[in-house]
Structures are given as C-alpha cells and as structure tokens.
Amino acid sequence: MWVTWLATPKKKLVIALVDKTVLTTKGQEHISLGWILNHNRYTKTSNKPYKIGEDYFGFFPLKDEKFRLKGLERFTEDQLHKLSDDADMVYFTDTYGIYNNEWYKQGDEGAQSGMLYGGLSNDDIIFLKAVKDRRKLIITEFNTIGSPTRSDNRRKFEELFQLYWTGWTGRYFNNLDPTKNLEIPRWLIENYKKSHNGDWPFTRAGLVFVNDSDQVVILEEGTHVDNALPYIHATPEGQSKWHLPERTKYPFWFDVMIPNLEVNTVDASYNLSLLPEGSKELEKYSIPETFPAITRHLGDDYRFFYFSGDFSDNPIKFNSSYFKGIGFFKGFFFDDRDPLERGSFFWNFYKPMVTQILENEMKLINQNQ
C-alpha cells in the first residue's frame, strides 16, 4: 500500500491555507485537510509536499511559550492581490485564534481570557474578495466569522457570500454534570448560572447553544430532545455530488447559519430530535430547528463552500495517509457506537466530500490551462 502510494503521480495544487488556532506543531485544526492532501499526493510545488506545521498562514508555536505570527496581516494590499493570483484556491479552517490562558498556561484554561491572536482581519477580507473576483475556489468553515471577529468584518463576509451568522454556536455533550465531564467550559456554566439564579440542574446528555452575547441555551436529553446527539442529513444532490452518507452524527462544535437560498445551495443540514419542550426553548431564542451543515455557491461568478462545523479538526493519525487504499480498512479506526468519536465523521463524511471537491478543482484547472 505504501509502494502504491509512492507510485501515485504528484499533482500541484497551490492552496492558501489560513489557520489562526494552532497550539502545537501538529496543526490539529487543519490536520484532516493535510491528511487528504498527502494521501492524494497534492503538492505545493511540482514536487514538494505540504507540511502540516509549515504550509499555512496564521499562528506558529515555538518553544518556551514563544510564537511567530505569519498571517495575511503582514502583507500589503498589492501583495494580497499577488497571492490571490498565485494561489489556485483558499481554505480558512479556523480564525478563533489563541487566548492568553491557553498559551501561557496561566489560570483556568476553561475560563474566558484576553486574545493573543485571532479573528477574521481586514486583510483576510481583502484577500477573500480578491480570490472571489478571480473566480477561484474558496472553502471556509466554522468560526471563520464567529467570535472574536469584529462585527464590521463579519458583515463584509456575509455580504460577500450571502451567508449570515445567527450569533449562535452549539455542541453536544454526552454528560452535562460538570463534576463528571471536565470538557464543559467553565465560562459556559457561569454564563448560564448568571441568568438562571445560579442554577445548573443538568446531569444527562445535552445540546448546548451559546451566542455572541454570552446567552446559553441547554437542550437536555429526555426533557428537550429525544436524542441530544445532532445528525447531519445530506440531500440527494449532496449525496450524489460529494459522496456524502445520508445521515452522519456530529458531536463537535458547529454554528447556526442562515444562507440566502436565492444565491446558495444547501447540500446537508443539521436535524435535531426535538421534543415539544425543546421546540419551545429554541423558539424562545429564535434558534431554527434545522440549519445548514454545508452551504455552497458554484457559479460562473464565484465558487464558495461554507462548512458549519469544525470539520477539519478530527483526531486522526496522519501516518495512515501514506498508504494507498487505507480507506478499505476504515472500520478499524473508529467505534461508531461511541457518540463522541469523530473518526467516522472524517472517514465517511469529510474525506469523501473534500476529496471530490479537490478532484473537481483539478479538472477545472487543467481545462483552463
């Protein structure tokens, strides 16, 4: 399998990758894309492969709490336009950034703290518009325009792509008891208590929504939802175009977006198994009961995808990308019965979809040469 991978021809595809949330050199927030690029022999030059810890724009961790910032913010407007000429496509995997208590290991990592670096910047917007004007592929995903992006840059992005953030993000937790589940952020619990007389009565699995004003909404299993675990349902067109499964669980962070459907197409959506009390709770806060997971616009004017989830962050082993045909053995890499595992999402959903998107892109590039 490794020899077959070695014999696979290399394909040059110049990707401007932006990731502002890189705590280690493993590049967890863009590892899934890196896996696909390496597995399919996509290269940044005619023969140089992409390296997870080097080939992106954003935050670069160094030793002893030192770091280097190499984002698009260091370029002039002319240089950004030059980069949009040189790149074949762009992928924004995460702009959430790095916060002081995460980086300097001071205080509670689960509490809110000042930002070290992050947010969609003016320069990012200039670059995205330049790429859009050149009709090159743009892929963005969860938290590209969420906190800590400034509202003016968020509005510019929304107008560029006719896709609007409701202000809400969400995530599944298999246990809402903070004494048993240390994954629940401290700030989330504190913000809920502030508006509920200091109470946090939840002990079962649940779905948590939080907005940019620090409001927190909890849908607890058995009370508000029959099953708190969200599922992504692909449309027939999404299944045929991008090889998506009809139904996929997704237990990680997502955002609630509203697309202009006169301009965009939704290929997959989140569906929640709501009980009557859950529907009432969402209605109270104007949160839609179903919302997009994949939004796209593939027209003659521009080409764009938005993934409404932390799709490129999956706990996968990069070394497996060096083996051709490894997908035949994907069942060994995850236990689908575990609601928290995300390996199945990578192998069954993200990998086939992004592989197909990149294959389509290569065909277009070759046709235009």
Side-chain angles (χ1 to χ4, degrees):
M1 290 165 67
W2 177 68
V3 171
T4 306
W5 175 86
L6 273 180
T8 303
K10 294 176 179 177
K11 297 168 284 192
K12 181 184 174 185
L13 181 65
V14 182
I15 302 176
L17 172 63
V18 177
D19 187 351
K20 302 188 180 187
T21 316
V22 184
L23 275 170
T24 72
T25 54
K26 293 179 181 178
Q28 185 59 44
E29 295 294 333
H30 61 265
I31 193 170
S32 298
L33 175 66
W35 193 103
I36 291 169
L37 294 176
N38 191 62
H39 185 66
N40 293 290
R41 303 285 270 167
Y42 287 109
T43 53
K44 60 183 180 180
T45 67
S46 55
N47 58 6
K48 285 188 178 179
Y50 284 93
K51 294 184 179 177
I52 288 278
E54 297 178 12
D55 297 314
Y56 65 94
F57 298 102
F59 186 93
F60 286 75
L62 303 174
K63 291 181 180 178
D64 301 321
E65 295 186 344
K66 294 178 180 176
F67 58 89
R68 188 175 291 165
L69 299 182
K70 294 197 288 185
L72 299 180
E73 296 80 16
R74 63 198 171 118
F75 295 131
T76 65
E77 190 163 341
D78 286 342
Q79 288 172 325
L80 290 171
H81 282 276
K82 175 70 165 59
L83 179 60
S84 68
D85 282 329
D86 294 341
D88 293 316
M89 60 172 283
V90 59
Y91 194 144
F92 276 67
T93 61
D94 204 307
T95 70
Y96 178 72
I98 304 291
Y99 285 73
N100 288 321
N101 58 353
E102 292 177 302
W103 186 248
Y104 294 113
K105 308 299 182 190
Q106 296 172 352
D108 181 4
E109 281 191 39
Q112 290 173 313
S113 74
M115 183 179 68
L116 191 60
Y117 174 69
L120 194 72
S121 67
N122 294 333
D123 302 282
D124 294 328
I125 292 288
I126 290 168
F127 180 61
L128 283 168
K129 186 177 186 307
V131 175
K132 180 189 174 189
D133 290 344
R134 285 158 179 74
R135 301 182 179 89
K136 294 182 177 180
L137 179 65
I138 296 168
I139 301 177
T140 55
E141 64 175 62
F142 165 77
N143 222 78
T144 295
I145 59 172
S147 176
T149 292
R150 296 199 323 258
S151 58
D152 56 334
N153 284 337
R154 181 178 302 133
R155 283 194 298 270
K156 290 173 186 175
F157 180 97
E158 290 173 334
E159 289 303 312
L160 270 177
F161 302 110
Q162 293 296 292
L163 178 67
Y164 304 91
W165 184 40
T166 61
W168 291 97
T169 60
R171 181 180 167 178
Y172 167 80
F173 290 95
N174 67 328
N175 191 323
L176 288 173
D177 185 340
T179 63
K180 296 178 180 177
N181 188 354
L182 302 181
E183 284 282 306
I184 306 171
R186 183 71 53 81
W187 56 262
L188 193 151
I189 298 169
E190 290 173 355
N191 287 341
Y192 183 87
K193 285 182 174 181
K194 281 177 189 175
S195 56
H196 292 83
N197 299 316
D199 291 333
W200 178 272
F202 310 107
T203 56
R204 289 172 288 190
L207 192 57
V208 171
F209 289 89
V210 57
N211 73 4
D212 51 350
S213 300
D214 289 334
Q215 283 183 302
V216 178
V217 174
I218 310 287
L219 302 184
E220 190 174 26
E221 197 165 88
T223 304
H224 305 97
V225 284
D226 184 43
N227 178 5
L229 185 60
Y231 280 83
I232 297 173
H233 291 249
T235 64
E237 188 177 11
Q239 293 172 56
S240 62
K241 271 186 177 291
W242 316 117
H243 309 301
L244 296 173
E246 183 179 355
R247 183 174 179 265
T248 311
K249 73 173 186 287
Y250 188 70
F252 210 42
W253 289 103
F254 58 85
D255 46 12
V256 182
M257 309 294 287
I258 297 177
N260 179 349
L261 294 177
E262 292 182 4
V263 175
N264 294 302
T265 299
V266 174
D267 284 318
S269 297
Y270 291 96
N271 284 6
L272 313 177
S273 55
L274 292 164
L275 297 172
E277 285 301 312
S279 295
K280 286 180 191 174
E281 194 71 5
L282 292 187
E283 186 179 4
K284 189 192 304 181
Y285 294 94
S286 300
I287 303 172
E289 293 191 3
T290 182
F291 40 90
I294 301 169
T295 304
R296 67 172 161 91
H297 175 96
L298 297 177
D300 294 333
D301 49 352
Y302 67 95
R303 304 200 334 279
F304 167 78
F305 281 87
Y306 188 88
F307 304 151
S308 296
D310 212 356
F311 284 7
S312 56
D313 176 2
N314 294 289
I316 55 173
K317 301 293 185 185
F318 189 80
N319 286 345
S320 62
S321 67
Y322 291 95
F323 298 92
K324 193 76 172 177
I326 192 72
F328 290 112
F329 303 97
K330 63 184 180 183
F332 291 103
F333 299 116
F334 59 85
D335 180 0
D336 200 29
R337 295 168 298 180
D338 177 2
L340 291 178
E341 65 81 26
R342 306 200 309 275
S344 60
F345 176 81
F346 171 78
W347 289 100
N348 297 331
F349 192 101
Y350 184 88
K351 176 180 173 288
M353 173 181 66
V354 174
T355 299
Q356 187 59 48
I357 290 171
L358 297 184
E359 284 180 9
N360 290 359
E361 192 61 21
M362 284 302 300
K363 287 177 186 174
L364 278 173
I365 291 169
N366 293 332
Q367 285 172 12
N368 295 330
Q369 285 178 346

